[in-house]
Amino acid sequence: MLTDIWEVAPFVLSEKPAGTKSFPTGHYLVPDTNALLNGMDLFEQTSGFYDVIILQTVLEELRNRSLPLYNRVIGLTKSEDKHFYVFFNDFRLETYIVREQGETINDRNDRAVRRAVSWYGDHLQQSIKSSKRPKQCPAIIMLSDDKDNLRKAKSERLSACSLSEYVSGLEDADRLLDMINASRQGQESRDKIAEQLYPDYFSLSNMMTGIRGGTLHQGIFNVSPYNYLEGSVHVPAFDKSLLVLGRENSNRAVSGDVVVVEVLPKPQWKAPSTKIIEEETLNKNENAEADEGEVEAVVTEQERRALQEEVKRTQGKSIEGRPQPTARVVGVIRRNWRQYVGHVDSSSSTAATQGRKQQTVFLIPMDKRIPKIRLRTRQADELLGKRVLVTIDSWDQESRYPVGHFVRSLGDLESKGAETEALLLEYDVQYRPFPRGVLDCLPEEGHGWKVPPSLDDPGWKGRRDLRDLLVCSIDPVGCQDIDDALHARPLPNGNYEVGVHIADVSHFVKPNNAMDSEASMRGTTVYLVDKRIDMLPMLLGTDLCSLKSYVERYAFSTIWEITKDAEIVNSSFTKSVIRSREAFSYEQAQLRIDDKSQKDDLTQGMRTLLMLSKKLRKRRMDAGALNLASPEVRVQTESETSDPVDVKTKELLDTNSLVEEFMLLANISVAGKIYKSFPQTALLRRHAAPPKSNFEELASQLKVKRGLNLRTESSKAVADSLDKCVDSKEPFFNTLVRIMATRCMMSAEYFCSGTQSYPDFRHYGLASEIYTHFTSPIRRYADLVAHRQLAAAIEYEQLDIGLHSKPKLEEVCKNINVRHRNAQMAGRASIEYYVGQALKGRVIDEEGFVMKVFSNGFVVFVPRFGIDGLIRLRDLSTPEPESVFDAEQYVLRIKGSVKLEVELFQKVTVRIRDVLEEGTGKRKIKMELIR
């Protein structure tokens, strides 16, 4: 078979492909573009879809239609197990066809697929005959969901079938049939129902004209975590985000989509919601089959009532005394749909009566900002009580909810494996094992690799021998991927030499190889409570690159001469070899420094570092650096099972600050160096000043409740104001305000220097003119890029041509910005899950502070667990008590059987217990107000 091609290409397809009921002699599959668009999840299954021929025509069309699906197909062609073979049909005389006059490109491509299928079948027959071996010929099966293409294929006597027809003949057909794109399946039933629920989108040309003319605006659609009917879009033309209220105005936008909005007339502007509105309580027991035979309303009666009540409460006034601009979505520029994790709503399933018959059910996503998703499934009974992964296929005007299809079950709700995999999928964390191509890039010596003993070895070229320095590392307990180490020693002139030594990852990870591509795609290491998802293979991260004690390691060193007043005299950068003397935890280092009996040079060096770090910190704070706060807790787990046993608040020591200050200094120093050498393509990190409007609500709250002024004209003004936000009766008040101020900030982001003007390089939170990340290359790809640029800046080696390209750097920055945010959210979600598990079956009374007040509930922050929880009025008594909400004074007065007054910043006692949240299926803490 194909011996003329196999002379230059490796054997890919199986000689004896698997058979099915319909094709017992074995078969090869040839999907058209339509089949891949509708059934990509099927082709990735391990239970079937092997020996697939991907035609060049199909691959090119798929790349134009969907780059993510194209990349998934390319991934399958690299799999040694799946046997996907790319056949370049347009480069072969027998299968190349010319587009006919009047023929559409789509029809030409369909004809090319049929020609290739026909030729392949004939070629197989001839190959088997010429081999003179008795053998049955495998079938060549064209897969398509295009009815016209299937009809023509059958008229040409080709073996062809739709995805559903083919899957019906496989084992486990019920599960596999659920994985076919639902948008096409539902088209026929939708054709019968012509009534539109949602307005038409504007044409792309009209949207572009409107954006250019300033009558329309483009931005990212976000949904409030407290009110699923309230969205917002931040656009440059307005200081405040535009509010998008209700389903009709959001017009099928899903949180994260890039949308175009039209601002509504000023009389329709409103204040942000002061009410908690949750879909799982408002739209309980909805009929998922509603679209199948009846017309449904875009807004349920319950939703309409909730919106009307909210408008009455807030019409014409916001906290600042003026309404906020509102808008409606008129189009979607880019869908940011992804795979979603959730559980099947048991009230929407009729599995007990329907058996294996296909039915429509609702999937409730874990993310409350995502609407319910309609699924057609034959396995509703098996999916109840499971974590399920789905994909949205479409959201047409005739359906109140988006339509999707089943991808796979992750396991039982609340099981550790299913919940951990669920949060990794929710935040798009790449957790698959490293492929063989990546592992092939590792040093052949494996764990036996050592720094060459001879200084004449090429590995020593351009490196300084710093093995005599008394270097140590200071990290969290149990840290294995040690990126950084430090040293300090006195100089004869009374100054100090201080060094930050960073793992030389760029020595092992070369540009553009498989390991570099994988690291670039992953972007960062992700830290969960019970595991770490590495950016680099463990051999590098925890051994060969890790700056372990008593072992010689390659490093990239930043060395300064610093005065006793922490003034920088000069700085230098060099590749080096170090030998760390100790790998301390923060606690161990603090004890060593504080122990006056310890007078050895290593300890004295650490004391010097601590003394200088305090002066560096003071200088930063004086310049306007912000001392913000975020709730940080540590979940203690049982060593063997990783089951959570307790939750502790993280204690920050002087040694935490010591390391932080010198890492900041190294990052700032490296940023200046690489920007000087590569002014257009230095990879830097910026933190934009937040718009004044971000602080308006917090400033109003502090003024009204405490008579405090929050000045926001500069980071220095904010820092000074926060220092004055104190309550002599409650020490935690200042920390609470800093946590709330942190939530007003913009996110820091990586960027390519040539895309911003120099004033916009500034890092607002650090009060630094220029900044980058250099000190953690084992766990951050941005740092690895900075290492390569610094190595070129000191003329250690040539810079890869890709890092001279501004467009390529912009793509790298775009990806690592997303990966960095996702890693942070995954880490927080892991802590939230484990805190819930640690409290399972326990009831604890704890102090908390009211940090947000609504008209029908309030949010309480509990310092001990670093979490905030929502207490709704309906949780206080049944029926829900009446209340009066004073939005100007941030006070909720509760009447009736529960007479209570709750105000912002109030200290309260709450009873905490665990509960399985009905809406998301997650075990979360539930708070009950005690006093």
Side-chain angles (χ1 to χ4, degrees):
M1 298 185 297
L2 291 179
T3 51
D4 51 336
I5 292 179
W6 287 343
E7 289 173 1
V8 294
F11 191 93
V12 177
L13 298 174
S14 304
E15 189 173 358
K16 296 180 180 178
T20 66
K21 296 173 190 173
S22 305
F23 308 105
T25 62
H27 65 292
Y28 301 115
L29 296 173
V30 184
D32 70 359
T33 309
N34 203 284
L36 292 173
L37 288 169
N38 282 354
M40 191 63 232
D41 294 313
L42 287 169
F43 289 90
E44 293 174 324
Q45 291 298 295
T46 56
S47 59
F49 290 84
Y50 290 84
D51 293 300
V52 178
I53 299 163
I54 302 294
L55 300 178
Q56 173 192 4
T57 299
V58 170
L59 199 58
E60 290 177 354
E61 189 175 10
L62 187 66
R63 181 169 56 185
N64 293 329
R65 297 277 297 276
S66 173
L67 192 57
L69 291 185
Y70 168 82
N71 289 329
R72 286 166 70 181
V73 171
I74 292 298
L76 287 170
T77 65
K78 294 177 181 177
S79 166
E80 296 182 1
D81 301 323
K82 292 290 288 179
H83 304 292
F84 274 55
Y85 174 67
V86 178
F87 176 53
F88 292 92
N89 59 302
D90 283 341
F91 292 164
R92 189 175 187 93
L93 183 62
E94 298 93 331
T95 53
Y96 174 73
I97 65 168
V98 178
R99 182 179 171 189
E100 296 174 350
Q101 188 172 1
E103 187 178 38
T104 67
I105 294 175
N106 183 63
D107 286 345
R108 181 265 171 205
N109 289 344
D110 286 348
R111 190 160 58 88
V113 172
R114 297 195 301 275
R115 170 72 67 86
V117 170
S118 174
W119 176 83
Y120 234 114
D122 294 342
H123 182 70
L124 273 184
Q125 294 278 8
Q126 293 170 12
S127 297
I128 288 171
K129 286 178 184 176
S130 63
S131 69
K132 297 181 180 179
R133 286 183 295 169
K135 183 180 174 184
Q136 289 183 309
C137 183
I140 300 291
I141 312 300
M142 186 187 91
L143 291 180
S144 176
D145 273 352
D146 184 318
K147 289 182 179 178
D148 192 49
N149 199 18
L150 284 172
R151 180 183 58 78
K152 290 177 180 176
K154 288 174 181 176
S155 71
E156 295 169 15
R157 299 185 181 278
L158 301 177
S159 294
C161 57
S162 68
L163 281 172
S164 57
E165 289 169 342
Y166 175 74
V167 169
S168 296
L170 302 179
E171 292 183 20
D172 201 15
D174 285 344
R175 182 179 69 87
L176 296 173
L177 283 167
D178 283 355
M179 299 171 70
I180 298 174
N181 186 314
S183 59
R184 181 172 292 275
Q185 294 182 50
Q187 188 62 52
E188 292 177 9
S189 62
R190 284 197 301 274
D191 288 344
K192 301 171 189 174
I193 306 170
E195 185 170 333
Q196 293 182 187
L197 300 181
Y198 293 100
D200 288 327
Y201 286 150
F202 287 9
S203 68
L204 184 60
S205 61
N206 285 347
M207 287 193 287
M208 292 299 102
T209 301
I211 291 169
R212 283 194 295 269
T215 58
L216 301 177
H217 306 273
Q218 179 178 321
I220 297 173
F221 180 71
N222 293 298
V223 175
S224 165
Y226 297 112
N227 180 351
Y228 78 100
L229 294 175
E230 179 180 279
S232 63
V233 180
H234 180 72
V235 299
F238 289 82
D239 287 338
K240 288 193 168 186
S241 295
L242 302 175
L243 291 180
V244 181
L245 302 176
R247 286 189 190 276
E248 288 168 291
N249 286 331
S250 62
N251 195 7
R252 295 167 283 151
V254 174
S255 197
D257 286 348
V258 178
V259 299
V260 174
V261 294
E262 179 181 53
V263 178
L264 296 175
K266 209 163 188 177
Q268 296 182 39
W269 291 9
K270 297 183 178 72
S273 173
T274 62
K275 186 173 184 178
I276 303 157
I277 302 180
E278 297 169 305
E279 184 168 19
E280 64 263 28
T281 57
L282 216 56
N283 293 332
K284 262 189 173 181
N285 304 319
E286 272 192 299
N287 178 15
E289 303 271 5
D291 268 357
E292 302 300 317
E294 61 185 70
V295 178
E296 60 179 350
V298 64
V299 181
T300 66
E301 188 56 37
Q302 296 94 318
E303 288 174 344
R304 196 177 300 282
R305 212 175 307 131
L307 282 170
Q308 285 172 349
E309 287 175 14
E310 185 59 16
V311 168
K312 284 178 194 172
R313 288 177 187 270
T314 60
Q315 179 71 40
K317 258 205 158 184
S318 70
I319 290 166
E320 296 77 33
R322 63 181 183 276
Q324 194 163 323
T326 54
R328 68 184 183 104
V329 173
V330 298
V332 177
I333 296 292
R334 186 175 70 249
R335 290 289 192 189
N336 276 334
W337 292 349
R338 53 181 173 82
Q339 293 183 325
Y340 298 96
V341 180
H343 70 282
V344 172
D345 181 2
S346 59
S347 69
S348 71
S349 169
T350 55
T353 58
Q354 297 249 359
R356 303 294 288 183
K357 183 181 174 183
Q358 188 181 42
Q359 61 174 294
T360 303
V361 297
F362 281 127
L363 179 116
I364 302 177
M366 285 174 65
D367 187 343
K368 287 186 173 186
R369 299 169 304 164
I370 306 301
K372 292 191 285 194
I373 301 168
R374 275 195 169 99
L375 299 179
R376 296 285 290 167
T377 179
R378 297 162 181 78
Q379 46 180 343
D381 194 34
E382 292 95 321
L383 296 182
L384 290 176
K386 304 287 186 185
R387 275 273 170 247
V388 181
L389 182 67
V390 305
T391 293
I392 293 179
D393 296 319
S394 64
W395 194 348
D396 295 321
Q397 291 170 285
E398 299 84 5
S399 173
R400 186 191 301 151
Y401 298 106
V403 174
H405 70 265
F406 164 85
V407 176
R408 63 188 173 95
S409 170
L410 306 182
D412 293 336
L413 287 171
E414 286 203 89
S415 64
K416 191 192 302 182
E419 297 298 342
T420 299
E421 188 175 9
L423 75 86
L424 292 172
L425 288 164
E426 266 299 288
Y427 298 111
D428 195 22
V429 175
Q430 306 299 308
Y431 63 99
R432 62 171 185 163
F434 287 102
R436 182 178 297 177
V438 172
L439 300 179
D440 286 344
C441 298
L442 294 168
E444 293 179 2
E445 304 92 326
H447 291 286
W449 179 91
K450 289 181 173 57
V451 171
S454 171
L455 299 184
D456 296 327
D457 188 280
W460 276 91
K461 185 179 179 183
R463 292 187 184 274
R464 282 182 61 185
D465 186 352
L466 303 180
R467 291 175 294 181
D468 61 321
L469 294 178
L470 298 180
V471 172
C472 69
S473 60
I474 307 174
D475 290 285
V477 174
C479 180
Q480 294 177 301
D481 49 344
I482 303 174
D483 285 288
D484 54 87
L486 307 98
H487 88 274
R489 63 179 179 180
L491 294 172
N493 63 2
N495 293 338
Y496 296 99
E497 177 189 273
V498 175
V500 166
H501 311 277
I502 306 300
D504 188 6
V505 176
S506 61
H507 172 81
F508 296 94
V509 184
K510 299 302 182 186
N512 306 316
N513 68 12
M515 184 150 54
D516 182 53
S517 297
E518 183 76 13
S520 174
M521 185 262 293
R522 294 187 179 215
T524 182
T525 292
V526 181
Y527 294 90
L528 307 181
V529 168
D530 64 330
K531 67 173 66 177
R532 187 183 66 238
I533 313 297
D534 291 316
M535 183 183 82
L536 295 171
M538 193 176 288
L539 175 64
L540 294 186
T542 62
D543 190 0
L544 306 191
C545 292
S546 184
L547 304 181
K548 302 192 293 186
S549 55
Y550 316 116
V551 182
E552 294 177 0
R553 285 288 180 253
Y554 284 154
F556 209 151
S557 300
T558 303
I559 299 173
W560 304 273
E561 182 181 342
I562 302 181
T563 68
K564 290 181 179 179
D565 294 325
E567 298 284 353
I568 309 299
V569 177
N570 60 60
S571 57
S572 63
F573 310 92
T574 181
K575 293 270 189 161
S576 62
V577 175
I578 65 167
R579 182 174 178 271
S580 175
R581 299 302 194 268
E582 286 289 349
F584 292 110
S585 67
Y586 289 116
E587 293 80 3
Q588 289 170 335
Q590 192 68 54
L591 288 170
R592 181 82 167 252
I593 290 170
D594 293 342
D595 185 351
K596 293 184 171 58
S597 67
Q598 298 278 0
K599 296 181 180 175
D600 58 280
D601 289 345
L602 179 60
T603 307
Q604 296 289 23
M606 291 165 65
R607 288 177 182 142
T608 298
L609 289 168
L610 183 58
M611 176 270 293
L612 292 171
S613 72
K614 289 180 177 179
K615 293 178 179 179
L616 288 169
R617 180 177 176 79
K618 184 178 185 306
R619 187 174 298 125
R620 275 199 315 112
M621 294 302 162
D622 290 345
L626 295 173
N627 179 21
L628 297 172
S630 58
E632 288 196 77
V633 296
R634 180 165 49 89
V635 180
Q636 292 183 327
T637 56
E638 207 277 326
S639 57
E640 290 185 12
T641 63
S642 293
D643 290 333
V645 293
D646 202 1
V647 182
K648 300 283 188 185
T649 305
K650 284 186 179 178
E651 183 184 0
L652 295 180
L653 305 169
D654 283 347
T655 45
N656 290 83
S657 181
L658 181 161
V659 174
E660 180 186 17
E661 289 306 319
F662 283 105
M663 296 307 113
L664 293 175
L665 183 60
N667 288 334
I668 292 168
S669 298
V670 169
K673 182 68 174 178
I674 62 175
Y675 175 60
K676 185 177 180 180
S677 298
F678 307 106
Q680 288 298 306
T681 55
L683 193 151
L684 304 174
R685 187 165 175 81
R686 65 192 287 265
H687 182 210
K692 187 181 177 185
S693 58
N694 282 27
F695 285 114
E696 283 180 353
E697 185 175 7
L698 179 58
S700 171
Q701 291 167 344
L702 290 169
K703 185 72 173 174
V704 169
K705 303 308 294 181
R706 290 291 192 274
L708 298 167
N709 289 318
L710 179 61
R711 292 172 45 229
T712 59
E713 63 269 22
S714 67
S715 61
K716 174 66 173 166
V718 172
D720 291 344
S721 298
L722 291 176
D723 288 342
K724 294 172 184 173
C725 290
V726 293
D727 184 338
S728 58
K729 297 177 184 176
E730 182 46 64
F732 188 76
F733 174 72
N734 184 259
T735 304
L736 180 67
V737 173
R738 291 182 190 275
I739 290 170
M740 295 171 73
T742 302
R743 299 178 183 185
C744 299
M745 295 293 165
M746 308 289 283
S747 295
E749 62 180 9
Y750 298 105
F751 71 102
C752 175
S753 57
T755 63
Q756 301 284 341
S757 62
Y758 188 80
D760 292 328
F761 289 11
R762 184 174 175 80
H763 196 293
Y764 179 84
L766 298 175
S768 177
E769 296 298 320
I770 191 168
Y771 192 67
T772 193
H773 271 162
F774 165 78
T775 54
S776 296
I778 292 175
R779 61 184 181 90
R780 288 189 306 231
Y781 189 75
D783 304 55
L784 180 54
V785 173
H787 275 234
R788 290 171 178 162
Q789 292 185 333
L790 183 61
I794 64 172
E795 299 182 349
Y796 175 82
E797 62 188 1
Q798 291 290 314
L799 186 63
D800 176 66
I801 192 168
L803 297 184
H804 284 295
S805 165
K806 195 190 300 183
K808 178 165 183 182
L809 259 295
E810 286 185 85
E811 281 301 308
V812 168
C813 290
K814 183 179 177 182
N815 178 62
I816 58 181
N817 281 327
V818 171
R819 298 296 179 192
H820 182 75
R821 280 192 293 273
N822 286 356
Q824 287 180 316
M825 291 189 288
R828 289 173 194 147
S830 177
I831 289 171
E832 183 182 334
Y833 167 71
Y834 273 90
V835 166
Q837 293 297 311
L839 295 174
K840 198 170 184 178
R842 298 164 66 184
V843 179
I844 301 170
D845 291 354
E846 281 291 333
E847 286 185 347
F849 296 85
V850 177
M851 66 186 310
K852 194 169 183 65
V853 184
F854 295 97
S855 59
N856 61 339
F858 48 95
V859 177
V860 175
F861 178 76
V862 179
R864 183 187 160 189
F865 299 126
I867 50 176
D868 44 79
L870 189 59
I871 298 179
R872 306 162 186 83
L873 288 189
R874 71 169 189 266
D875 298 332
L876 300 179
S877 70
T878 304
E880 181 178 315
E882 291 185 15
S883 64
V884 176
F885 177 50
D886 186 341
E888 300 300 314
Q889 294 297 315
Y890 308 99
V891 176
L892 179 61
R893 296 182 179 90
I894 303 162
K895 301 177 178 179
S897 59
V898 182
K899 288 186 172 58
L900 198 62
E901 190 169 287
V902 177
E903 62 179 320
L904 189 68
F905 302 135
Q906 180 180 337
K907 187 175 182 177
V908 295
T909 301
V910 292
R911 181 158 292 158
I912 299 173
R913 54 166 57 93
D914 69 295
V915 65
L916 188 63
E917 192 175 52
E918 187 179 351
T920 63
K922 292 193 285 189
R923 184 160 296 279
K924 301 189 75 169
I925 67 161
K926 183 176 178 65
M927 295 184 189
E928 177 187 339
L929 187 66
I930 302 300
R931 61 179 183 274

